[in-house]
Amino acid sequence: MTKYPFLVSNPVPLSTRVEELRAIEQSQRFTNFGPVNDRLQQRFVDELFDGRGGCIAVANATLGLMIAIRDATMRFERDPRRRLAIIPSFTFAATAHAALWCNLQPLFCEVDPDTWLPDERHIEMLLEQYGEQVAVLLPYATFGNSLDLGRYDAIAAKWDVPVVVDAAASLGSKDAAGRQFGSGSKHPVIYSMHATKSFAAHEGGIVYSEDLALLQRLRQMSNFGFDASRVVTMHGMNAKLSEVGALSAAEKLSEFASVVEHRRELVETYHRELPMLQWQRPAGTALAYQFCPARTHERRNDLVAAMAARGVELRTYFDPPLHKQEFFAERSVSTELPVTEKLSRNVISLPVHDLMSNEDAAAIAQVLREAVTLSS
Ligand SMILES: *Cc1c(COP(=O)(O)O)cnc(C)c1O
């Protein structure tokens, strides 16, 4: 019996927001850039990004990535050599799917063994080797950790290659300067508001950038590529967020600071109670935890099974990494990725969710200590 499930989604219950739902119905604006979407975007800019730059809301982060990649690589559309997207293998499937949907082929890069962020030195090696074939860099801010975006500015300028940032788990994470991760980026930065993320709406995504012209293009692309007179002038699809979706996100934004703080306390409990695990090294000043990832030196699968037998559900993100999955392997350029393979074999994720208490985290830590003692 699972006493401690890995995941408990906690979007704001809209059954308690009947007035707001009725207002949407009365407005007769259900989608297509309605007022709830407009307010949400402005609140993101004001409340998370210090009033700098802009945001567009999208139906989910995967669609946000797809339109951002399509826009970033438009200038290579007629260049058959530019077909590669540099992506870490240690990420969620959506990053690579988004590239494949844009007719690009993943070229997997390595991660840093401590921060688990994409390894920029390896990215530069790949650029040396594949230079003219690379159409875009798609770094993932691993588990909400902060990428050094200044470094990506320099790489982008040196190699004349665009950057799209997968920051799916980064809402609430602070960079080295203490600002919301992504702040000030001239590249598009894409965040998820999926029900399983710490910023739990139902479905939803945010694309942030300081480049407002870029956001204007993405907004048009998210609505079939229509210009003001409903003539298609670019690639398009439907990536818009509904008004009810925007309401769910706006309600979460109002409570989000306390969500992040609560999750930080749970992770602190794990860190204190489990000195035998190795933690991801933070590169910024704060992480918004979707769960608590760690490296174990035990036999990982035995440990996961022993925990499950004791009622604690663990996960093993990201194992297998993308390059080890046949579907992606057949459609990518293979490189040697020893750090990624070792990390993915050792990684475990401990439960972190809004409805857990610090006592729950301490109890899970106790179960894990017992499981480790018995197995060694
Ligand atoms: C969750 C996630 C996504 C996709 O987000 P959706 O909003 O569910 O589309 C993309 N990349 C990474 C790394 C993720 O964890």
Side-chain angles (χ1 to χ4, degrees):
M1 202 193 66
T2 303
K3 181 159 185 226
Y4 296 107
F6 179 74
L7 186 90
V8 179
S9 289
N10 188 35
V12 173
L14 292 185
S15 53
T16 65
R17 302 295 195 276
V18 175
E19 282 308 310
E20 290 82 351
L21 289 169
R22 193 168 288 131
I24 291 172
E25 288 168 3
Q26 281 167 354
S27 76
Q28 283 290 307
R29 296 288 302 276
F30 298 103
T31 183
N32 287 2
F33 312 130
V36 186
N37 264 265
D38 282 349
R39 280 198 299 275
L40 176 71
Q41 292 168 173
Q42 192 57 49
R43 280 188 61 198
F44 262 102
V45 173
D46 294 342
E47 295 173 30
L48 287 186
F49 295 99
D50 296 328
R52 261 182 93 184
C55 286
I56 63 165
V58 287
N60 60 61
T62 307
L63 291 171
L65 285 166
M66 284 166 61
I67 58 176
I69 295 166
R70 176 61 82 177
D71 177 74
T73 58
M74 200 70 86
R75 63 189 164 109
F76 304 134
E77 204 176 25
R78 290 177 217 289
D79 185 346
R81 288 169 311 167
R82 296 266 189 179
R83 293 269 58 93
L84 300 180
I86 297 185
I87 304 175
S89 175
F90 194 75
T91 182
F92 183 58
T95 329
H97 275 310
L100 288 171
W101 276 102
C102 293
N103 278 330
L104 300 172
Q105 191 179 14
L107 171 60
F108 289 120
C109 71
E110 196 53 290
V111 286
D112 178 273
D114 300 316
T115 64
W116 312 347
L117 290 164
D119 177 348
E120 292 96 351
R121 275 174 314 181
H122 188 230
I123 290 176
E124 294 223 62
M125 276 173 49
L126 293 173
L127 283 164
E128 296 273 0
Q129 195 178 344
Y130 293 93
E132 293 287 275
Q133 298 177 57
V134 177
V136 66
L137 308 183
L138 284 180
Y140 162 48
T142 314
F143 301 140
N145 208 0
S146 283
L147 293 163
D148 178 354
L149 291 179
R151 183 110 186 242
Y152 283 90
D153 288 345
I155 296 174
K158 178 172 170 199
W159 298 91
D160 188 28
V161 62
V163 177
V164 173
V165 181
D166 184 340
S170 295
L171 284 173
S173 284
K174 302 274 170 63
D175 65 16
R179 304 176 306 176
Q180 164 62 50
F181 170 75
S183 296
S185 170
K186 57 188 182 191
H187 313 291
V189 184
I190 293 91
Y191 308 87
S192 174
M193 306 190 289
H194 189 264
T196 57
K197 300 292 201 274
S198 11
F199 194 108
H202 298 126
E203 290 270 9
I206 291 287
V207 184
Y208 169 87
S209 180
E210 205 174 46
D211 181 345
L212 301 182
L214 158 70
L215 290 180
Q216 185 51 42
R217 292 195 303 277
L218 295 186
R219 179 179 145 106
Q220 183 178 341
M221 203 178 258
S222 77
N223 190 36
F224 310 103
F226 287 146
D227 70 6
S229 44
R230 288 181 75 80
V231 173
V232 172
T233 61
M234 61 170 69
H235 285 278
M237 64 150 94
N238 183 358
K240 297 176 304 264
L241 183 64
S242 74
E243 289 285 270
V244 171
L247 171 63
S248 174
E251 295 294 323
K252 182 55 72 175
L253 183 56
S254 299
E255 65 173 38
F256 190 52
S258 59
V259 168
V260 172
E261 174 57 17
H262 174 63
R263 287 168 176 257
R264 191 191 61 72
E265 285 173 12
L266 296 174
V267 168
E268 215 167 68
T269 303
Y270 284 136
H271 286 186
R272 193 178 56 238
E273 302 285 327
L274 293 169
M276 73 289 248
L277 294 181
Q278 189 189 326
W279 311 106
Q280 181 184 25
R281 184 160 64 76
T285 53
L287 258 146
Y289 292 96
Q290 186 185 356
F291 40 76
C292 179
R295 261 181 124 129
T296 172
H297 299 293
E298 308 301 318
R299 281 190 305 207
R300 197 272 314 269
N301 293 349
D302 292 351
L303 180 63
V304 172
M307 294 294 283
R310 290 165 175 77
V312 181
E313 189 188 2
L314 304 184
R315 296 271 170 94
T316 55
Y317 297 118
F318 294 104
D319 187 35
L322 301 187
H323 76 288
K324 288 288 192 190
Q325 301 181 36
E326 194 180 332
F327 178 85
F328 290 122
E330 284 172 346
R331 288 163 179 81
S332 61
V333 179
S334 71
T335 51
E336 298 278 304
L337 302 170
V339 179
T340 296
E341 292 187 12
K342 188 149 183 263
L343 172 61
S344 57
R345 273 198 306 273
N346 294 338
V347 79
I348 55 170
S349 313
L350 301 162
V352 169
H353 55 78
D354 299 352
L355 309 181
M356 266 174 71
S357 66
N358 287 330
E359 290 69 40
D360 291 330
I364 291 169
Q366 172 66 25
V367 175
L368 195 136
R369 285 196 303 269
E370 286 165 16
V372 167
T373 315
L374 287 177
S375 73
S376 57

